[in-house]
Amino acid sequence: METSLLAFLLISLAKVIVVVVILLMAVAYTVLLERKLVGRIQNRWGPSRVGPFGLLQPLMDGAKLFLKEDLIPEAVYRPLYILAPIIALGCALMSIAVVPFGADIRWKGVDLFEIADVNIGLLIILGITSVGVYGIALSGWSSNNKYSLLGALRASAQVISYELALGLSLVGVVLRSGSLRLRDIVDVQSTHGLLSWNFFGGFQFVAFLIYLMAAYAETNRAPFDLPEAESELTAGYHTEYSSMKFAMFFMAEYGNMITVGCVATLLFFGGWTSPFGNLFPEPHNAILLSFLSLFWFVAKVFCFLFLYIWVRGTLPRFRYDQLMGFGWKFLIPVAVANIVVTSFFIGLRLPLH
Amino acid sequence: MHLALFIIFAGLCVAGALNLLLQRHPINSALSLIVVMSSLAVLYLLLGAEFLAAAQVIVYSGAIMVLFTFVIMLLNAGKEERTHGSRLAYIAGFPGAAALLGLLTYIFLSHSATFGQARLGEYLATTDDISRVLFRDLLLPFEVTSVLILIAILGAVALARKEH
């Protein structure tokens, strides 16, 4: 079915707006979830005063950050100081564009649950993540503050080191599905439910654990949060930022967390497919099908966010030399070994020409 | 659509390259180089080389330029001082550059009849096509290049190692 350009543009614009609004709401409520959960882990309540169960807390925090005075210190290098939070948040929001959220349901020939369906979706996510580090690096440099600079240096070195392990860990998944398109990667895992997910059926659990650790380091989250280690660097790269500029870094961090959760879900846990596979027949009603696929996707991403916060509340921070040693001497060799073993088994199963 | 994108990003690419030379602060030059690399990626994409475009962003804009900015931040390099340039560059450089440009133009114009034509957005080289070429048709050059890079890595490690 051919769609007119105007309809395509309008539907795409609507999709972008809906996804960005939902993503920003999800970011706000991930912050609340984190405060609640870390509170429970530390044997206290967390926010509970604003609204029932503290549910209105994120809105109040947002309003507070909006209304605060936006200080720009004297000695900063202004163009980059202003550009840095924009780069950070922009990259965090951009990579969600290639994530498919649900089954391939089309309305007037336009894919409803994905903004852009591209052949190299996985590479685009990797590319945007690798560019996102400029937000942190430039903020630290332009702040003209030694703590910020140290935080930015740590962030650059850490992201460069762990990006290798992250990329290598995904090769096994790509080998199994033979495609870089995220929908294809999910379709390979959709036949027998839980048993054909890459994590279980594809025997990619080693790759998954490497991906998880490398992704935590990429998003600068505990136990890899050295760029903002408050006991050593005040607040790290965003020491000199206030008001909305600080909030943009904050949103970028949580946006990246959600993207990592989405990618882990898509690559290792079957995306929007149900864990029961063909045990229950697939509903023929398109609306029911879209709700079910959205439900499974959101539930899986939620589990990853929960894990993120759980890890943050439990593990202490790495020492710097441990961080580098762990990345280069442990994760990368294991990732390479995983590629060798996976390609060996895939080669065994292929028919000889 | 394709032509408009091409004009925008080709202009951005040239502007970034000029800015790279004209800026006096190393970090601004490095950022201009990032702009050049990223707009090159878009030009690759317009020609249908999607894998190459992604690799360009990941490797050049992402990894290599992060190392550039890392080094600039680490050394905290200040503004460059303007110099008059070496005399050799004026005497040999400009005529040499002009001669090279003339030679390239001459060869290009004299052979332009035999070149094929590539229209923007006409052809799509998938990752599959690229891997087929790299790992089957051009396997030997590919492997030799990888050995060369391995030797370079070992050389870097040997140079960076502390003396015992």
Side-chain angles (χ1 to χ4, degrees), chain B:
Chain B
M1 179 74 178
H2 283 106
L3 191 65
L5 280 176
F6 175 79
I7 290 169
I8 291 170
F9 281 96
L12 201 62
C13 195
V14 173
L18 285 178
N19 197 36
L20 162 72
L21 293 174
L22 295 176
Q23 284 289 337
R24 290 178 63 189
H25 206 292
I27 202 119
N28 292 345
S29 297
L31 291 177
S32 316
L33 192 52
I34 298 168
V35 172
V36 174
M37 300 284 187
S38 309
S39 28
L40 274 183
V42 179
L43 296 187
Y44 290 151
L45 200 60
L46 285 172
L47 287 170
E50 47 177 22
F51 181 80
L52 198 59
Q56 170 87 7
V57 171
I58 294 173
V59 175
Y60 285 96
S61 320
I64 292 180
M65 290 316 296
V66 169
L67 284 180
F68 272 50
T69 45
F70 182 83
V71 171
I72 292 171
M73 291 193 315
L74 194 66
L75 301 177
N76 207 2
K79 277 189 181 166
E80 291 170 13
E81 294 194 359
R82 284 261 184 250
T83 59
H84 292 292
S86 69
R87 182 162 299 204
L88 189 67
Y90 282 107
I91 297 171
F94 284 110
L100 193 66
L101 195 68
L103 189 66
L104 284 175
T105 321
Y106 173 70
I107 292 174
F108 184 79
L109 287 179
S110 59
H111 286 74
S112 62
T114 55
F115 293 149
Q117 279 197 333
R119 291 236 306 278
L120 291 174
E122 185 181 35
Y123 175 71
L124 181 69
T126 59
T127 315
D128 208 45
D129 299 337
I130 289 209
S131 54
R132 228 168 270 280
V133 172
L134 264 189
F135 292 110
R136 206 166 57 191
D137 305 347
L138 299 175
L139 183 63
L140 187 67
F142 179 77
E143 293 295 340
V144 170
T145 317
S146 64
V147 170
L148 188 68
I149 292 171
L150 186 68
I151 293 170
I153 294 172
L154 289 179
V157 171
L159 285 177
R161 220 171 62 161
K162 283 183 196 134
E163 295 289 330
H164 286 295

Side-chain angles (χ1 to χ4, degrees), chain A residues 21-255:
Chain A
V21 168
I22 290 179
L23 184 65
L24 289 179
M25 288 304 282
V27 163
Y29 278 92
T30 311
V31 177
L32 180 70
L33 179 77
E34 168 149 27
R35 291 177 66 186
K36 287 291 236 186
L37 275 178
V38 172
R40 290 303 182 124
I41 289 170
Q42 296 167 351
N43 216 356
R44 55 190 172 80
W45 282 103
S48 63
R49 296 300 167 118
V50 192
F53 311 108
L55 278 177
L56 296 179
Q57 185 75 40
L59 302 180
M60 295 296 122
D61 284 345
K64 181 195 78 175
L65 283 166
F66 254 119
L67 297 176
K68 268 189 165 179
E69 185 187 356
D70 191 11
L71 288 169
I72 296 186
E74 279 273 299
V76 298
Y77 184 57
R78 276 181 74 113
L80 295 184
Y81 179 83
I82 294 168
L83 191 67
I86 299 174
I87 295 178
L89 184 61
C91 288
L93 295 183
M94 233 154 48
S95 46
I96 208 83
V98 292
V99 170
F101 303 103
D104 192 1
I105 294 169
R106 281 162 192 278
W107 184 61
K108 296 199 171 182
V110 180
D111 198 339
L112 275 188
F113 291 115
E114 186 175 15
I115 294 178
D117 186 6
V118 281
N119 288 332
I120 46 165
L122 189 57
L123 289 181
I124 286 190
I125 289 181
L126 285 180
I128 293 174
T129 329
S130 67
V131 173
V133 69
Y134 288 117
I136 294 176
L138 294 180
S139 72
W141 186 81
S142 63
S143 291
N144 207 357
N145 170 333
K146 60 184 127 176
Y147 292 131
S148 303
L149 183 66
L150 281 172
L153 284 176
R154 285 182 176 186
S156 316
Q158 176 178 324
V159 170
I160 285 275
S161 312
Y162 279 78
E163 209 167 67
L164 290 173
L166 187 103
L168 289 176
S169 72
L170 303 180
V171 174
V173 173
V174 176
L175 280 174
R176 186 167 179 245
S177 51
S179 170
L180 292 163
R181 192 174 158 246
L182 291 165
R183 280 210 183 276
D184 290 344
I185 293 175
V186 174
D187 286 342
V188 168
Q189 309 173 55
S190 65
T191 40
H192 300 294
L194 199 120
L195 290 176
S196 56
W197 288 357
N198 275 332
F199 183 77
F200 300 107
F203 293 103
Q204 292 298 317
F205 40 84
V206 179
F208 170 69
L209 291 176
I210 296 167
Y211 173 75
L212 203 65
M213 288 184 262
Y216 282 21
E218 287 274 299
T219 46
N220 298 319
R221 291 280 303 180
F224 300 99
D225 56 347
L226 283 100
E228 42 189 314
E230 58 281 278
S231 50
E232 306 150 33
L233 298 181
T234 321
Y237 59 88
H238 53 60
T239 308
E240 297 288 352
Y241 283 87
S242 58
S243 182
M244 269 323 276
K245 294 203 186 70
F246 166 74
M248 283 164 91
F249 280 118
F250 205 66
M251 289 194 291
E253 182 178 329
Y254 284 85

